[in-house]
Amino acid sequence: MLLLVLNNFSAMETEGIVIRIKTPGGDMDSSVDSPSLLSFNDLLVAIREVMPEATITAFEYEDEVGDRITVRSDEELKAMMSYYYSTVMDQRMNGLLPEPLHIFPRAGKTPGIRNIHGLKVNTRPGSAQNCTQVPAPAPAPAEILPNNSLKKSSAELKKILTNGQINEQDIRYEELLGHGNGGTVYKAYHLLGKRVLAVKVIPLDITVELQKQIMSELEILYKCDSPYIITFYSAFFVENRISICTEFMDGGSLDVYRRIPEHVLGRIAVAVVKGLTYLWSLKILHRDVKPSNMLVNTRGQVKLCDFGVSTQLVNSIAKTYVGTNAYMAPERISGEQYGIHSDVWSVGISFMELALGNFPYPQIQKNQGSFMPLQLLQCIVDEDPPVLPVGQFSETFIHFITQCMRKLPKERPAPNDLMGHPFIVQYNDGSVEVVSMWVCRSLEERRAQQQHPPTQCPM
Ligand code: ATP
Ligand code: MG
């Protein structure tokens, strides 16, 4: 049993964790990719970076009864990590997602440290010793250059604390990826994190209070950890616009592919259903399932993006544009209650469009995006849902779409029924090669049309 726990602990040490530094000005989250490499000094430097005005000499964490325990050394940091891993295991065993590790910086009254006798010693080279203090021992080479060693560990820290906060000045914008109704998405490079990002910039004329509320609502994105959900790195406001930084997907969104073969769509559907099931397990409704919010890459991964975690953000964007989303379920178009089943409708209509190569309601022309006047979408409320043509598609696929697009929300499959549907079961084979090859081929065809050289694909 103990061995199992130890094994689990060492497995956890290779996973990333999120450390939440609780400062008087708010919380600052940092992802630590390799917690086993983290030292007490690393964390102290990180804290000093976010609280430069305070003299931080230690930090605290809370045990299960809320008592604060001070950390002042690598040994005490190890004890804190062991305690944290045990809480993470408990949370996982209870089906919960791990909470970030909360730490509370502790400011020292004077810039000094205590030696092993508990007496204060002055750490500034060349300054006079107080006669009541024990003379400081001759410093070891590393201690002679406290500033240099801090700088070095600060550089290392940047590698360890991979994202934390991303600032506009650290981002180099490279390419426009597309415009949506709310904002504009760019491919960009994060100079500090040394990675490619997708940055969605949304102009928002809102109060600072609302900005804060949006930022705190977006916090849940740090916790989203699924291979079927786009990874969220950071978000920040500059003047009257918010920038949301996420993982970049080199295959882009599915809306530009159209008419995808059924055996490829099957694998994509598995990923979409798994992504939604994950969100629903966190009590998050996607609310904007559509092909342009399903992203693919040349490795064959399929991930969902743009789900509505921030009510304030959704509301603020909604004020700046007019129109209704054509992928919305009939009950939503008529202004009724929205639930998981409405997401399921949107899955059905999206996959029907991707299979056919055009929007399933011929009377609805989506020339400019997916938002249009409500009256144009009335046919979705009034008419029987369309059905995929028999003969061109398999029976299981036709059944899957027909079930998702039942007019009555309650008749649509629930999350478990979706996962257990024969169409999903058939393609739930973990094969990413099919999607990868199809993405690569499609990108090459697109480039050939644009007379650009082909891309190197990983497979
Ligand atoms: P809406 O605003 O209604 O959601 P949309 O989804 O088409 O419409 P955006 O979300 O702004 O608009 O995205 C614009 C385009 O940017 C997408 O169609 C997609 O091609 C591209 N895009 C978005 N996120 C990423 C990403 N993480 N990686 C690569 N491309 C992306
Ligand atoms: Mg989108």
Side-chain angles (χ1 to χ4, degrees):
M1 174 66 186
L2 181 66
L3 191 66
L4 185 73
V5 170
L6 289 176
N7 279 344
N8 281 341
F9 276 10
S10 44
M12 275 189 247
E13 276 172 21
T14 58
E15 290 174 21
I17 62 165
V18 175
I19 295 187
R20 178 161 298 163
I21 305 173
K22 312 284 285 183
T23 78
D27 296 348
M28 190 230 153
D29 280 359
S30 291
S31 295
V32 180
D33 279 349
S34 318
S36 58
L37 298 179
L38 192 68
S39 70
F40 169 67
N41 212 23
D42 286 332
L43 260 182
L44 216 51
V45 174
I47 296 169
R48 284 174 181 158
E49 276 185 359
V50 287
M51 297 174 70
E53 69 293 344
T55 315
I56 304 299
T57 53
F59 54 86
E60 295 170 335
Y61 67 100
E62 270 177 2
D63 68 10
E64 65 272 25
V65 291
D67 284 339
R68 293 272 177 97
I69 298 160
T70 307
V71 177
R72 282 162 302 210
S73 66
D74 282 334
E75 277 316 299
E76 288 172 347
L77 179 98
K78 266 192 206 144
M80 175 182 81
M81 297 307 287
S82 299
Y83 169 73
Y84 176 63
Y85 288 138
S86 69
T87 63
V88 167
M89 273 182 53
D90 283 346
Q91 286 163 1
R92 287 199 177 142
M93 269 154 61
N94 289 319
L96 300 169
L97 277 174
E99 275 281 305
L101 167 58
H102 290 198
I103 59 170
F104 304 82
R106 228 177 74 170
K109 287 202 176 75
T110 52
I113 56 170
R114 282 171 191 276
N115 70 5
I116 49 164
H117 306 291
L119 293 171
K120 221 179 285 162
V121 291
N122 202 320
T123 52
R124 281 196 198 135
S127 53
Q129 299 289 330
N130 182 318
C131 62
T132 61
Q133 290 173 345
V134 173
E143 290 172 310
I144 297 173
L145 298 166
N147 289 337
N148 287 350
S149 70
L150 282 187
K151 269 192 194 128
K152 182 168 167 283
S153 69
S154 175
E156 283 162 1
L157 185 82
K158 292 254 158 62
K159 273 193 223 144
I160 298 168
L161 306 180
T162 45
N163 43 53
Q165 282 171 333
I166 297 180
N167 297 313
E168 177 122 282
Q169 62 267 26
D170 301 327
I171 293 177
R172 200 175 61 213
Y173 291 91
E174 293 184 341
E175 197 184 310
L176 175 73
L177 294 173
H179 294 285
N181 285 279
T184 306
V185 182
Y186 300 89
K187 181 181 175 185
Y189 186 71
H190 183 225
L191 299 166
L192 286 182
K194 293 193 173 39
R195 65 172 142 209
V196 178
L197 309 173
V199 184
K200 184 165 192 166
V201 183
I202 308 170
L204 287 176
D205 269 319
I206 53 170
T207 60
V208 173
E209 271 317 300
L210 271 184
Q211 290 187 357
K212 279 192 191 149
Q213 201 177 330
I214 289 174
M215 293 301 280
S216 83
E217 285 178 343
L218 289 178
E219 262 187 34
I220 193 165
L221 292 178
Y222 285 111
K223 289 191 192 166
C224 283
D225 181 15
S226 156
Y228 311 105
I229 301 294
I230 207 82
T231 305
F232 170 76
Y233 294 136
S234 192
F236 54 86
F237 272 94
V238 174
E239 292 163 6
N240 65 342
R241 55 185 199 276
I242 184 171
S243 297
I244 301 173
C245 307
T246 62
E247 173 184 10
F248 168 72
M249 297 287 277
D250 63 358
S253 50
L254 291 184
D255 54 321
V256 291
Y257 289 86
R258 306 283 159 164
R259 216 180 162 86
I260 303 173
E262 188 180 318
H263 72 285
V264 179
L265 265 189
R267 268 80 184 203
I268 295 175
V270 169
V272 167
V273 168
K274 285 184 178 174
L276 285 174
T277 308
Y278 175 78
L279 290 178
W280 295 333
S281 75
L282 295 181
K283 307 226 174 339
I284 298 172
L285 296 177
H286 190 295
R287 295 172 191 270
D288 201 9
V289 175
K290 56 183 176 180
S292 70
N293 288 337
M294 299 172 188
L295 302 167
V296 285
N297 64 21
T298 49
R299 288 156 63 195
Q301 294 175 306
V302 181
K303 306 195 182 199
L304 295 172
C305 67
D306 288 349
F307 40 98
V309 287
S310 166
T311 318
Q312 277 307 341
L313 182 59
V314 172
N315 289 346
S316 307
I317 296 172
K319 281 185 196 137
T320 63
Y321 64 81
V322 282
T324 305
N325 179 349
Y327 298 87
M328 276 184 187
E331 68 275 12
R332 226 181 143 194
I333 294 175
S334 7
E336 285 162 38
Q337 259 205 338
Y338 185 84
I340 282 181
H341 295 102
S342 316
D343 274 351
V344 174
W345 167 280
S346 306
V347 170
I349 191 166
S350 297
F351 278 88
M352 191 165 183
E353 178 181 31
L354 293 168
L356 291 170
N358 43 50
F359 198 66
Y361 290 82
Q363 56 279 62
I364 297 176
Q365 297 296 319
K366 297 199 308 57
N367 297 330
Q368 292 285 313
S370 48
F371 281 79
M372 49 194 58
L374 190 58
Q375 311 84 281
L376 284 185
L377 301 177
Q378 195 55 36
C379 58
I380 297 178
V381 179
D382 297 339
E383 290 176 13
D384 284 341
V387 180
L388 277 175
V390 181
Q392 291 179 35
F393 299 97
S394 72
E395 269 178 36
T396 52
F397 185 33
I398 296 175
H399 186 263
F400 176 75
I401 300 292
T402 309
Q403 289 304 101
C404 291
M405 291 181 70
R406 301 290 290 238
K407 279 283 267 303
L408 283 178
K410 273 190 254 159
E411 291 179 359
R412 292 174 211 148
N416 283 344
D417 302 334
L418 269 184
M419 272 314 293
H421 190 281
F423 179 64
I424 299 297
V425 172
Q426 181 188 351
Y427 288 110
N428 191 6
D429 55 7
S431 157
V432 285
E433 290 83 4
V434 175
V435 178
S436 169
M437 276 158 53
W438 165 78
V439 171
C440 288
R441 205 172 337 109
S442 307
L443 290 181
E444 276 166 21
E445 281 167 13
R446 219 183 287 164
R447 280 202 184 85
Q449 278 171 4
Q450 296 165 349
Q451 295 188 325
H452 280 305
T455 27
Q456 289 287 314
C457 282
M459 291 183 210

